[in-house]
Amino acid sequence: MAAVGECSLPAPWRPVSLTHVEYLAGDFSGQLLAYLSLCPIFIIVGFVTLIIFKRELHTISFLGGLAFNEGVNWLIKNIIREPRPCEEAHSTVTTKYGMPSSHSQFMWFFSVYSFLFLYLRMHQTNNARFLDLLWRHVLSICLVTVAFLVSYSRVYLLYHTWSQVLYGGVAGSIMAIAWFAFTQEILTPFFPRIAAWPASEFFLIRDTSLIPNILWFEYTVTRAEARNRQRKLGTKLQ
C-alpha cells in the first residue's frame, strides 16, 4: 500500500504519438526539416476535413489514390527489403525497410496529381486569363518545392539514402499519373450514378465533374445567392 503523496509505477510509461522524427540537438535546419517531413500528416488531415465539408467524389477518389499509393509503397518495401542507411542513428522508426521512401512517394504522388488536376481538370472560365495561369504556375512551383524539400529532409535526417527518395519520387509520380488517368477515364463516368445513390443523397455526396472550375462556380453562385437574400431581406424591412 503506497503512502499518501507517493506514486506507484508498476510499469514504465510510454508516449502516444502519431510520428516520431528525430534530429540532431542544436541543428536548427534539421529541426525545420523534421517539421517539414510531417507534411503527409497535415495533407491527410486536410483531405479528411475537405471531404467532411465538401463531400465531393473527386476529392474522395484523390484520397483513395493516396491510400492505394501507400499500400503499394508498403508492398514494394517488403519485397525489396533494403535497410535504412543508419538504423542506429534513430531510436524509433515506423518500418525498418527504406526502399522506396514512403514520404517521398507520398509527396510526389500528391504534387504530380495536383499538377495534373490544375492543368487538365480545372479549366479557365473567366476573363482573367493571365491571373488564372499565374496562380496555377505559382501553386505548381510551390508543390514541387515542398515535395523536393520533404524528400531532401529524409536524406538529411538519415532516414533514407538518395536512391531511396529518388525511387520513391519516381514511383509516386508514376502512381499519380496512372491514378489520374484511372479516375478521369474509368471512375468519372460512374460519378453521376454514384451521386444518385440513396446513400450518397443521404450523406450529401456530390459530383462536380462537369463543372470546369469548381472554385469559380462556387464563388459566383454563392455571391449571387448572397445578393438575392440581401435583396429579399431589404424588401422585408421596408
Side-chain angles (χ1 to χ4, degrees):
M1 189 74 178
V4 178
E6 295 182 0
C7 294
S8 177
L9 301 177
W13 288 62
R14 299 189 62 181
V16 176
S17 60
L18 295 176
T19 184
H20 187 75
V21 183
E22 297 176 336
Y23 58 92
L24 288 175
D27 185 0
F28 181 70
S29 298
Q31 185 178 8
L32 289 179
L33 290 173
Y35 283 116
L36 188 64
S37 67
L38 302 180
C39 277
I41 294 179
F42 300 146
I43 290 174
I44 292 297
V45 172
F47 262 105
V48 172
T49 304
L50 191 62
I51 289 174
I52 290 175
F53 286 97
K54 292 295 185 180
R55 309 188 188 192
E56 203 275 324
L57 285 171
H58 200 117
T59 306
I60 297 174
S61 175
F62 195 166
L63 180 59
L66 285 169
F68 181 65
N69 179 63
E70 286 296 290
V72 170
N73 177 267
W74 179 88
L75 181 63
I76 296 175
K77 276 185 175 180
N78 284 271
I79 291 176
I80 299 178
R81 296 189 175 185
E82 180 177 303
R84 295 178 183 272
C86 296
E87 295 182 352
E88 65 280 0
H90 303 288
S91 59
T92 58
V93 289
T94 54
T95 59
K96 64 178 181 178
Y97 303 126
M99 173 65 83
S101 166
S102 59
H103 281 72
S104 179
Q105 186 169 330
F106 182 100
M107 289 305 302
W108 284 102
F109 181 100
F110 176 78
S111 299
V112 172
Y113 192 100
S114 298
F115 177 87
L116 295 173
F117 184 86
L118 285 173
Y119 287 96
L120 300 180
R121 170 68 175 83
M122 292 184 65
H123 304 292
Q124 184 263 350
T125 57
N126 54 24
N127 295 324
R129 179 66 177 173
F130 173 77
L131 293 177
D132 180 78
L133 290 175
L134 178 61
W135 78 263
R136 294 188 198 200
H137 296 335
V138 171
L139 184 56
S140 298
I141 293 173
C142 292
L143 288 169
V144 172
T145 301
V146 172
F148 173 78
L149 289 176
V150 171
S151 300
Y152 173 72
S153 73
R154 305 307 289 172
V155 178
Y156 184 92
L157 298 172
L158 301 180
Y159 282 98
H160 292 284
T161 63
W162 275 113
S163 62
Q164 290 172 354
V165 298
L166 175 62
Y167 283 112
V170 171
S173 300
I174 294 175
M175 287 287 297
I177 295 172
W179 189 260
F180 183 84
F182 174 73
T183 300
Q184 292 297 111
E185 301 299 327
I186 306 298
L187 295 182
T188 299
F190 290 99
F191 282 171
R193 298 182 186 179
I194 297 174
W197 290 350
S200 299
E201 294 179 352
F202 178 80
F203 289 106
L204 304 179
I205 297 175
R206 56 180 176 158
D207 170 37
T208 60
S209 301
L210 297 178
I211 302 174
N213 192 327
I214 186 63
L215 293 178
W216 178 251
F217 174 79
E218 289 183 344
Y219 171 73
T220 54
V221 170
T222 303
R223 186 173 64 173
E225 181 65 19
R227 289 178 176 176
N228 184 40
R229 289 176 180 269
Q230 189 175 23
R231 192 181 306 113
K232 291 181 179 180
L233 182 61
T235 301
K236 289 181 180 181
L237 294 176
Q238 290 179 357

